[in-house]
Amino acid sequence: MNVIEYMQFTTKISLIKIKNNLSQKNLTESEIEALNSIKNIKRRNEFVSTRNLRTHLFGKKTIKYNQFGAPYIENSNIHISISHTNEYVGIAWSEKHSVGMDIEVIDRNVSSIQHKFINPNEKKMISLYENENIPLMIWCIKESLYKLNKSKGLDFLKDLSCEKVNTDLWKGHIHNSNPKS
């Protein structure tokens, strides 16, 4: 398995290409049953490749989901976040703290929905950095913060914000970590 891996302090990120990891040999019986109930081929492929990456990282430990849909490894102190995009699936994980991750294709255009997640301060950054896809970066950061919070009800405009600290560093904020769901 060809895995792209990155580590920053106590967080690790692993990515694989979906199309190269569609073998069902790493699925448990219950995962095969779950797979058989998924009709959409893209979702089926994401499900299988995610379980293959899971097996590579943690063995066949079961991925479960909490009441808000956030993934976790059953009977483990490993915190995970899962994301997929057109060609890749990724798992961010840590044994020390919660994690949140979003991956997107770099040329994804989010202009039609940016009014739903970009606040006035973030709009200013877009005009300052016209040559960069700032709206997509803000989307990824906020989606990651949402996943990090592991609950529902956060408002992307009011409860989440981010700022560009320098060329390579962004800082995200969760203003209301206990929204009403």
Side-chain angles (χ1 to χ4, degrees):
M1 176 178 293
N2 189 11
V3 180
I4 301 165
E5 295 184 302
Y6 175 77
M7 183 172 142
Q8 179 90 28
F9 304 110
T10 59
T11 301
K12 295 145 191 102
I13 297 173
S14 301
L15 299 164
I16 58 171
K17 273 200 165 191
I18 292 173
K19 72 177 184 177
N20 297 341
N21 293 284
L22 297 175
S23 169
Q24 296 180 21
K25 70 179 181 179
N26 290 318
L27 300 182
T28 65
E29 281 186 40
S30 63
E31 290 170 341
I32 290 170
E33 287 177 29
L35 177 64
N36 290 334
S37 71
I38 302 171
K39 303 301 177 210
N40 181 290
I41 190 70
K42 182 176 184 279
R43 296 283 173 235
R44 289 174 61 85
N45 290 345
E46 290 169 351
F47 181 89
V48 171
S49 57
T50 298
R51 272 53 190 186
N52 284 327
L53 182 55
R54 173 270 332 256
T55 301
H56 172 78
L57 296 171
F58 316 115
K60 288 192 179 182
K61 293 183 177 181
T62 304
I63 296 174
K64 295 277 194 172
Y65 297 87
N66 74 10
Q67 68 269 28
F68 304 112
Y72 66 94
I73 301 290
E74 186 175 49
N75 301 320
S76 172
N77 66 340
I78 299 169
H79 304 272
I80 66 169
S81 182
I82 298 170
S83 186
H84 358 76
T85 189
N86 293 352
E87 294 185 41
Y88 291 90
V89 63
I91 297 177
W93 59 283
S94 175
E95 294 179 18
K96 303 285 184 193
H97 53 79
S98 294
V99 293
M101 175 182 70
D102 185 49
I103 58 174
E104 298 289 346
V105 290
I106 196 73
D107 60 351
R108 179 177 175 198
N109 185 346
V110 295
S111 61
S112 66
I113 60 167
Q114 70 184 31
H115 66 280
K116 296 179 179 182
F117 66 91
I118 295 180
N119 68 38
N121 288 334
E122 294 159 350
K123 270 187 185 169
K124 292 175 190 172
M125 281 189 290
I126 294 170
S127 60
L128 289 174
Y129 302 98
E130 290 178 1
N131 296 334
E132 299 176 35
N133 193 345
I134 298 298
L136 181 63
M137 183 63 74
I138 293 170
W139 171 259
C140 288
I141 292 167
K142 289 189 174 188
E143 184 71 18
S144 298
L145 290 169
Y146 186 87
K147 290 179 175 184
L148 178 67
N149 199 56
K150 298 192 182 326
S151 66
K152 294 218 186 254
L154 286 175
D155 183 308
F156 275 50
L157 274 174
K158 296 175 189 167
D159 299 328
L160 305 174
S161 66
C162 59
E163 59 186 298
K164 190 168 183 164
V165 176
N166 61 41
T167 306
D168 300 318
L169 183 64
W170 286 75
K171 184 165 45 170
H173 307 275
I174 302 173
H175 303 287
N176 179 10
S177 62
N178 296 309
K180 294 182 170 111
S181 348

